[in-house]
Every structure is written in C-alpha cells, then in structure tokens.
Amino acid sequence: MKINYEFADGKVELEVSDEWASILAELDRQEYNNNQRETRRHTSLDNGYDDGEWLAVENTLLTDLIKNEDYSLLMSAIKHLQPQQQELLHRVYWNKEKMSDIAAEQGVSKMAITNRMKKIYKNLKKILE
C-alpha cells in the first residue's frame, strides 16, 4: 500500500505493508481525536475569560466606565437592573467571587451564571448607549 507524507520540503510517497498502513492509519486517527479533544477543552478569547472567571470581552464596557471615572453613569445604569442581577454583578465584579463558587452556592451550573452575566452586560450596554 502507498502512503503519502508531506514534509516542509515536499511530498513523499512510500510503499508500506498493509500491517504498517493500518498502524499508521490508527495513529493518524488517534492524533486527530486528541487534537479535537484538546480544541474542545479550550475557550476562545472571544468568549473571554480572564483568570478563568471574568467575561473580559463583555466587561470592557464596565472597565472603560470605571477608568473614565463615570461612576455616577454606571451606578445609575446598574439601578435599572433587577435586584438579583445587581447582586450577581456586585459579587462577581466588585467582590471578585468566582462564578463557579456562586453557581455551587445557588445549585446551578457555572454556565448558568455565565449566561446571567452575559445578560447583565447586554442590559447595561443597552441602558448606557
């Protein structure tokens, strides 16, 4: 059986036995599966976790307001949120509690807390625009 290999300086076609061909095919399959598994384990920076907990992309609005010292504008926008949203935002952003800890305390998944935070950021952005 002929096997094609691609190197930096070109392609090579090798003649190998069927036994070696099946071994090489299995190794290729395992490598592909490992790469897929490893890819799924990592989160894109666009989904943005800073220190594994913060929604970095989403909270730039809040960070910018704080840097620009627009505290009164930010606080008035936060007052438009529901009380549960205000509390969650305060715990995550100011108290720097881990979302996984909050999720465990509330008996929900970390993804549920992440989704709530995304909704909070979306609402704040809508209020501030």
Side-chain angles (χ1 to χ4, degrees):
M1 174 177 255
K2 292 186 179 188
I3 303 287
N4 291 319
Y5 279 98
E6 191 169 331
F7 297 100
D9 59 348
K11 292 182 181 181
V12 175
E13 186 174 87
L14 300 173
E15 184 72 34
V16 295
S17 68
D18 289 340
E19 180 183 355
W20 277 106
S22 65
I23 291 170
L24 291 172
E26 177 62 21
L27 288 173
D28 286 343
R29 186 188 65 75
Q30 287 177 359
E31 180 182 17
Y32 174 81
N33 288 342
N34 287 339
N35 288 340
Q36 291 298 323
R37 192 173 313 126
E38 191 65 23
T39 301
R40 285 191 303 264
R41 288 182 52 210
H42 299 286
T43 305
S44 167
L45 290 178
D46 292 336
N47 295 338
Y49 290 100
D50 182 30
D51 297 328
E53 296 294 331
W54 292 87
L55 296 167
V57 173
E58 296 290 338
N59 77 14
T60 55
L61 174 69
L62 300 177
T63 305
D64 290 346
L65 286 172
I66 290 171
K67 283 181 185 174
N68 294 334
E69 298 183 5
D70 289 332
Y71 296 112
S72 60
L73 182 61
L74 178 60
M75 291 305 154
S76 67
I78 291 173
K79 287 180 183 179
H80 286 88
L81 297 173
Q82 296 175 5
Q84 307 94 311
Q85 291 177 323
Q86 291 178 21
E87 179 187 352
L88 181 58
L89 182 67
H90 187 269
R91 289 178 71 180
V92 171
Y93 199 76
W94 280 276
N95 293 352
K96 297 189 181 190
E97 292 181 46
K98 291 183 176 183
M99 286 189 271
S100 55
D101 293 341
I102 296 170
E105 177 186 307
Q106 294 183 2
V108 298
S109 68
K110 181 181 170 192
M111 186 53 70
I113 300 298
T114 301
N115 289 337
R116 291 175 189 174
M117 289 302 296
K118 285 181 181 180
K119 187 172 183 179
I120 290 169
Y121 293 136
K122 183 178 175 185
N123 289 343
L124 284 175
K125 190 173 182 179
K126 198 182 299 181
I127 293 167
L128 292 168
E129 288 180 338

